[in-house]
Amino acid sequence: MSVQVLAAASPRDLGLAAADVVLARLAARRNPVLGIATGSSPLPLYEQLARRAGDLSPLRGFALDEYLGLPPGHPQSYHAVVRREVIDPLGLDPAAVRVPDGAAADPDLAADRYEAAIRTAGGIDVQVLGIGSNGHLAFNEPGSALDSRTRVVALTASTREANARFFPSLRDVPTHALTQGLGTIREARSLVLLASGPRKAQAIAAALTGPVTPDVPASVLQLHPDVTVLLSGGAEAALDPAEYSLVRAARAERH
């Protein structure tokens, strides 16, 4: 396992450090492919990448997941979120960024085609990740097979409740999603995970220091050769600084 852990003094510093990591790894690739996570944790990264869009090569992207049953035009579909938070701010070509087809008539076939599209693109160079308080990655809930592929999953009650803030009510939150599997995520050349706040502390500690188990999906990070974990706001609180080097990444904004 090769994990670098950085603890930043603020979300902005978290984004700065994450952008440095992502840009360095993408620069080594001729036709770079970025794996895109949604949610609040990666937003500081995308904000800094937008400021440094001139440093980006022509970039292709694949989103981690999509709700099942929401049309692409729905404001809370990840098609719309990725367009709003990543494609437009970074100036990417919308045709070069793929999101799973949650409106497909045959979602299982859509999942297989998404896997094939990632392979055809040459794989994902840098996969951005967040983590759920129950240790999930993407929509891989506890119990997901560590070698799972893109597929339809049922969302747990806790995940639906966490996402209800984006919808008029809990009953409007979809019950299923299409998600890249843990096996799919592990095939990315580099993983960059961001987490903020004390609610994520126990999940981070379990993922990095506990056993590798489907009960903690993010524990698959321990099986990957190039992982950077960036934390702020107490997300590092349950880690032992003697075992993991926690680097304060507070710096003046350069762009």
Side-chain angles (χ1 to χ4, degrees):
M1 177 180 67
S2 177
V3 178
Q4 181 183 26
V5 180
L6 304 176
S10 70
R12 189 201 66 180
D13 292 334
L14 185 79
L16 281 166
D20 285 345
V21 172
V22 169
L23 288 171
R25 283 158 175 75
L26 292 178
R29 305 296 298 178
R30 178 173 297 180
N31 297 297
V33 179
L34 180 67
I36 298 167
T38 54
S40 58
S41 293
L43 287 178
L45 164 62
Y46 300 142
E47 290 168 1
Q48 294 303 323
L49 289 179
R51 290 176 177 270
R52 299 167 65 176
D55 298 336
L56 290 171
S57 300
L59 192 63
R60 296 167 294 162
F62 287 88
L64 277 173
D65 41 34
E66 176 60 289
Y67 290 117
L68 202 64
L70 289 187
H74 190 287
Q76 295 308 323
S77 72
Y78 289 147
H79 277 81
V81 172
V82 168
R83 182 67 182 256
R84 190 165 61 239
E85 296 180 352
V86 182
I87 293 174
D88 290 346
L90 272 61
L92 303 182
D93 177 1
V97 179
R98 299 281 297 270
V99 181
D101 186 1
D106 186 340
D108 293 322
L109 178 60
D112 292 342
R113 287 177 171 169
Y114 203 68
E115 284 275 332
I118 293 173
R119 290 194 299 271
T120 299
I124 291 171
D125 294 309
V126 180
Q127 177 63 65
V128 178
L129 298 165
I131 185 172
S133 57
N134 64 358
H136 73 237
L137 291 182
F139 277 133
N140 293 283
E141 301 284 11
S144 297
L146 301 182
D147 61 353
S148 54
R149 312 304 301 188
T150 302
R151 67 203 188 284
V152 176
V153 294
L155 303 182
T156 64
S158 63
T159 294
R160 293 184 68 239
E161 289 166 3
N163 290 353
R165 66 188 187 278
F166 301 115
F167 292 85
S169 70
L170 178 59
R171 66 173 175 268
D172 295 303
V173 181
T175 59
H176 291 74
L178 274 171
T179 187
Q180 287 186 37
L182 296 174
T184 313
I185 291 168
R186 283 173 56 192
E187 289 178 354
R189 293 175 180 87
S190 300
L191 304 179
V192 177
L193 185 145
L194 296 89
S196 298
R199 290 195 312 110
K200 302 294 179 72
Q202 291 303 319
I204 288 291
L208 299 183
T209 68
V212 177
T213 169
D215 294 336
V216 183
S219 64
V220 298
L221 296 174
Q222 298 181 43
L223 303 177
H224 197 281
D226 183 16
V227 180
T228 305
V229 177
L230 300 109
L231 308 171
S232 70
E236 74 278 16
L239 292 177
D240 181 356
E243 185 174 358
Y244 290 87
S245 298
L246 303 181
V247 179
R248 288 289 167 185
R251 288 174 288 171
E253 191 165 352
R254 296 161 297 172
H255 296 268

